[in-house]
Amino acid sequence: KHYRDMQDIEFTIEKGKLYMLQTRTGKRTAQANVKIAVDMCKEGLIDKKEAVRRVKPEEIDQLLHPMIDPKAKVEVIAKGLPASPGAAKGKVVFSAQDAVEESKEGEVILVRMETSPEDIAGMHAAQGILTARGGMTSHAAVVARGMGKPCVVGCESITVDYEKEEFRVGDIVVKRGEVITIDGSTGRVILGSAPMVEPQLKGEFAELMRWADEIRKLGVRTNADTPHDAKLAREFGAEGIGLCRTEHMFFAPDRIKAMREMIIARDAEGRKKALEKLLPMQREDFIGIFRVMEGLPVIIRLLDPPLHEFLPQEDEQIREIAEELGVSFEELKAKVEGLRELNPMLGHRGCRLGITYPEITEMQAKAIFEAACQVYKEGKKVIPEIMVPLVGDVNEFRNQKEIIVRVAEEVMEKEGIKIEYMVGTMIEIPRACLVADEIAKEADFYSFGTNDLTQMGFGFSRDDVGKFVPYYIEKGILPRDPFSSLDIKGIGALVKIGIEKGRSVKPELEIGICGEHGGDPDSIKFCHKVGMNYVSCSPFRVPVARLSAAHAVLEEEEEK
């Protein structure tokens, strides 16, 4: 009752007399910490705010994922970046196809130099993902976090050999079929099968989260591209979707062919013909997501990546796809070469695609509003918010908004339905922060894409930072990886400018963040301070974000 916390007490008994030597706050697991905080609150020793304050957001991760038993002795053979928390073990495979096939027989770990959107099926099938290259916002890292799968990226000490189907670390050779364990919370790669501790979510956890929700002011949404992920996030307490990436929907085997037909089409008519095949598929995707998120806002980002990502890069694959599409090897090879860019992250992507090929924006807008109308007819409330990516100038946004609004009105008039919707943009280019007042005259909402904003603000390639950022941290040049936790001094200043300029024109402008920083506790505190409406993060980070948002309020109260 005096310390109002669980204590470790040292004592001795001498000649029948008890002597109290010292006492200190007792160490405990994350699960025990949650239970103690809730129990003490119910006993009247502490209040709800103190109970919430005592559980650190970082601890919540331990409650949501399997962990390696801390008492176990393990053989660590390499270390990379801890891209997605939790531990996983399984037989090593080196291709997405092998992951899909072999996962039917048992657990597998997918090992790649780096992943691409074509590896999605294999990533789904694998227990965990290990890559030799990449940073905290690389494809593997972002997708794995969204799936809730353990992932270690940027493990530069391993050499992957696809032909021999093995990877090497110094003198150690790990071949296909051998078992490894990866720890996505620490970045460790372990030889063999390490003993695990399974997560246990009990009633106290749900109760503590309810108390956190009573305290926080920031909304918490999720980054989800499928009905499954959206449902999971809603169960974790998400209040909408802050980022639905439409490009992942095009990589399914039944869709990639139509997507490739669209890319190699010689004119707009050819592209429209291919897009007509994709329209019903895309519409079904959105119907599924709108149903799951009934009554909650859903922000859908239009196509963002450069088109070369949808085409094969190796000659052997190009021959196969050319035959499948009914074109010559030379024609497809020329198209692949023509789309290749020296710096694709700064190239022909985002709204630039929609401006060059307006039929892509038309198809996506049509799919969104046809889906919204259908779900509305089922008696469900639908709140679509369409987001235009990579805008750096108000004229880019205006161009895309005109297409979206025109298609929306056409669909709603045809269906005889009126649905409230918003059209906004992703603020991810530094220039957009500086002209945010101009863009706000046209946009209904802003969502800060801090992955790209960090990349362009620092001039760091987010797929290559694993090579040097660990040394920066080790030598004290940077306090932490800026792709994991927002750089408040620099990138944060750009965000602040963007918010102030945007709200100087529209005081009620809806503003959120949908980069991976949306699940980082320190970044969330910054989002609270600068007056954002919500943060958005991968489904498994939603509870972390809810608790972090509550901590931001409690810290603000303490400062006053």
Side-chain angles (χ1 to χ4, degrees), residues 144-433:
R145 279 194 289 270
M147 292 178 178
K149 288 187 183 282
C151 178
V152 175
V153 301
C155 195
E156 297 282 339
S157 60
I158 72 169
T159 305
V160 179
D161 190 324
Y162 291 141
E163 282 189 19
K164 291 183 179 177
E165 294 191 306
E166 65 181 32
F167 74 82
R168 290 175 175 269
V169 188
D171 296 331
I172 299 169
V173 180
V174 179
K175 294 186 177 293
R176 174 180 167 174
E178 291 186 36
V179 175
I180 63 167
T181 304
I182 62 168
D183 186 348
S185 301
T186 64
R188 294 181 298 168
V189 180
I190 294 161
L191 200 59
S193 176
M196 302 280 195
V197 178
E198 289 300 317
Q200 290 183 319
L201 294 182
K202 294 190 176 177
E204 290 90 356
F205 173 78
E207 192 149 14
L208 186 84
M209 295 311 296
R210 280 197 297 274
W211 297 346
D213 291 340
E214 290 170 12
I215 297 167
R216 67 181 168 91
K217 294 174 184 174
L218 264 178
V220 177
R221 300 188 189 182
T222 190
N223 302 341
D225 313 328
T226 65
H228 172 268
D229 287 351
K231 183 174 182 290
L232 181 67
R234 190 161 189 169
E235 288 167 1
F236 278 142
E239 298 159 327
I241 290 180
L243 175 63
C244 174
R245 306 174 186 90
T246 54
E247 58 269 14
H248 290 166
M249 301 168 178
F250 294 126
F251 281 96
D254 60 334
R255 303 167 187 211
I256 189 74
K257 185 181 176 185
M259 190 66 184
R260 285 167 172 164
E261 285 174 6
M262 188 276 294
I263 294 168
I264 66 168
R266 296 182 179 91
D267 53 31
E269 284 308 307
R271 284 191 293 275
K272 284 180 180 177
K273 196 174 176 183
L275 287 166
E276 280 171 15
K277 296 179 185 178
L278 289 168
L279 174 63
M281 301 173 189
Q282 183 109 96
R283 182 173 59 230
E284 285 303 310
D285 291 326
F286 297 140
I287 286 170
I289 288 170
F290 284 142
R291 280 176 181 156
V292 170
M293 301 307 284
E294 178 188 359
L296 297 176
V298 176
I299 294 182
I300 298 168
R301 182 180 73 184
L302 300 181
L303 191 65
D304 184 46
L307 295 180
H308 76 85
E309 288 193 10
F310 296 92
L311 293 176
Q313 301 301 311
E314 304 296 327
D315 281 1
E316 190 180 330
Q317 287 181 306
I318 292 172
R319 283 185 203 282
E320 284 177 26
I321 302 302
E323 195 174 321
E324 189 184 329
L325 295 175
V327 297
S328 68
F329 166 78
E330 289 75 19
E331 184 181 348
L332 186 55
K333 175 81 172 174
K335 191 71 180 180
V336 170
E337 291 296 331
L339 288 172
R340 192 164 283 148
E341 296 174 306
L342 291 174
N343 195 335
M345 295 307 290
L346 299 178
H348 194 189
R349 55 173 283 231
C351 67
R352 300 159 194 172
L353 281 174
I355 291 167
T356 314
Y357 306 125
E359 51 274 10
I360 296 177
T361 303
E362 286 176 359
M363 183 279 285
Q364 291 202 289
K366 193 174 182 184
I368 291 167
F369 287 100
E370 285 183 353
C373 287
Q374 183 168 325
V375 175
Y376 180 85
K377 285 178 181 176
E378 294 170 6
K380 295 179 171 68
K381 188 178 181 184
V382 186
I383 310 173
E385 300 182 11
I386 296 86
M387 182 157 69
V388 181
L390 216 72
V391 165
D393 189 284
V394 67
N395 290 321
E396 291 175 315
F397 181 76
R398 195 178 283 127
N399 173 286
Q400 292 294 281
K401 183 183 176 183
E402 284 172 3
I403 297 171
I404 295 162
V405 171
R406 171 174 56 78
V407 172
E409 296 306 317
E410 286 171 1
V411 171
M412 289 191 291
E413 188 177 343
K414 183 184 172 187
E415 298 291 338
I417 290 171
K418 191 72 179 171
I419 291 171
E420 293 296 319
Y421 67 94
M422 294 203 288
V423 184
T425 186
M426 207 165 180
I427 302 287
E428 50 194 328
I429 292 178
R431 186 182 191 276
C433 297

